[in-house]
Amino acid sequence: MAVQASTGRDSVCSCTVNLPSAPEGGEEDEAELGTIESELKGYEVVIADDNETNRRILSGYMGHWGLAACVFESGPAALEYLTGPNGFKPDVFIMDYKMPGLEPEDLKKKLQGLYPEVPIIFLSSADSSTVDHLISGDTGQILTIGKPVRQEELKGLLARLIGARKKPDATSSGSPKIIKAENSRSLLV
């Protein structure tokens, strides 16, 4: 550490820190992440979160990874859309654990009633014992991720959950679609 000072002039401070080199294998990690992204392309996700920033971040992740995302500001808005004639067939749900208008247990039951085979990821800033109550004894694929959501953790979880599902139609372009859903602020990306 060094300090350089003169009367009537700004002082200059500098510091040198010796850090260890990055571990080997960075290229392999990047290749693995690229493989995960290619495995996700063309799948469909329903996202519901009452926080606009969270919706924007999550839909950005989905678009970047090539997933089609239908994004809603509440559980009831998502359910209204899913029960209508929209043709959207989700491969996974990503839901905020605590949103106004519908308790998490009720949302889980309604989603499982519509799509029993589709996994649900709840995003939660709640203490894990609160969320564990929702999941305990459940035979479906119900998982939670703590907030703030780490991009790579979510990507890995999505790959694990939907990787075993039927691959999207090879004729689809895998490009994100953008559609304004009626009667809501939902966006299909």
Side-chain angles (χ1 to χ4, degrees):
M1 180 179 283
V3 176
Q4 184 179 11
S6 301
T7 305
R9 298 186 56 148
D10 292 336
S11 298
V12 176
C13 298
S14 64
C15 178
T16 303
V17 178
N18 294 319
L19 299 173
S21 300
E24 295 294 322
E27 290 176 13
E28 291 172 10
D29 292 343
E30 287 178 25
E32 182 180 329
L33 292 175
T35 301
I36 289 173
E37 283 182 20
S38 67
E39 289 174 4
L40 294 175
K41 283 189 185 209
Y43 286 98
E44 297 180 344
V45 167
V46 171
I47 297 169
D49 196 311
D50 58 325
N51 182 293
E52 183 179 348
T53 301
N54 291 344
R55 288 192 308 269
R56 192 172 57 245
I57 290 169
L58 290 168
S59 64
Y61 289 167
M62 300 307 124
H64 181 72
W65 300 333
L67 290 128
C70 200
V71 182
F72 299 92
E73 59 190 19
S74 71
L79 288 168
E80 181 181 339
Y81 183 78
L82 290 168
T83 56
N86 58 57
F88 196 78
K89 300 195 177 17
D91 294 293
V92 69
F93 295 106
I94 300 175
M95 303 283 146
D96 184 14
Y97 178 73
K98 196 68 173 165
M99 290 183 284
L102 197 60
E103 290 298 315
E105 183 68 34
D106 295 331
L107 178 60
K108 177 188 88 161
K109 286 178 183 173
K110 290 180 183 214
L111 291 172
Q112 288 178 322
L114 292 169
Y115 299 95
E117 73 289 351
V118 177
I120 304 169
I121 300 172
F122 278 102
L123 308 178
S124 175
S125 53
D127 127 18
S128 64
S129 63
T130 305
V131 179
D132 290 343
H133 143 77
L134 178 71
I135 300 170
S136 63
D138 200 293
T139 56
Q141 292 182 306
I142 311 292
L143 301 152
T144 61
I145 295 181
K147 287 182 180 180
V149 176
R150 288 183 23 236
Q151 183 177 2
E152 298 309 319
E153 179 184 11
L154 181 59
K155 185 192 299 184
L157 183 57
L158 286 170
R160 199 173 83 227
L161 287 174
I162 64 179
R165 298 176 69 84
K166 184 180 174 222
K167 190 75 174 155
D169 183 352
T171 60
S172 71
S173 67
S175 300
K177 302 174 265 183
I178 301 176
I179 299 172
K180 179 80 171 153
E182 291 182 35
N183 299 328
S184 72
R185 293 183 184 165
S186 307
L187 184 63
L188 178 62
V189 180

